Amino acid sequence: MDNKDSSETPKDCLSCRIIGGSSLILCSAYVFSFGIRAKSRNAKISSFLFASSLGYTGFARLVDIFPFGKKPDVENVTNS
C-alpha cells in the first residue's frame, strides 16, 4: 500500500471546477426560470435571490475565487 503525502495530490483539478461550476450555473438558470413564472412577488424575489447566489457560487467555482480559491487579504485592508 502506498502512503502518499497529501501535498502530492492535487487540491482541485480543472475538470472538477468546470463540472461543478457549470452545474451550479445551470441550476441557477433553472431556478431563475421558475422565478419568472412565479405568481406572487415574494416568490419571485426569493427565487431570484436564491438563483443569484447559485450563480455566484458557480462562477466562483469556475474561476477559483473566494470561497473556493484565494481568500481576500484581510490584513492589508484593515491596516490601511
Side-chain angles (χ1 to χ4, degrees):
M1 181 188 271
D2 291 333
N3 289 333
K4 291 185 178 181
D5 187 16
S6 63
S7 62
E8 292 178 9
T9 59
K11 179 183 172 192
D12 202 8
C13 61
L14 179 63
S15 62
C16 299
R17 287 196 339 238
I18 290 173
I19 291 171
S22 60
S23 64
L24 283 169
I25 290 173
L26 289 174
C27 288
S28 170
Y30 183 74
V31 171
F32 187 78
S33 70
F34 275 99
I36 291 174
R37 293 183 272 168
K39 302 261 190 239
S40 71
R41 183 172 162 233
N42 290 336
K44 283 186 180 191
I45 291 172
S46 62
S47 63
F48 289 159
L49 286 174
F50 185 61
S52 64
S53 67
L54 283 173
Y56 171 75
T57 306
F59 178 75
R61 181 79 173 128
L62 279 174
V63 296
D64 201 26
I65 58 175
F66 183 76
F68 296 103
K70 299 174 186 170
K71 293 185 179 180
D73 193 11
V74 179
E75 289 180 6
N76 290 338
V77 174
T78 57
N79 291 336
S80 298

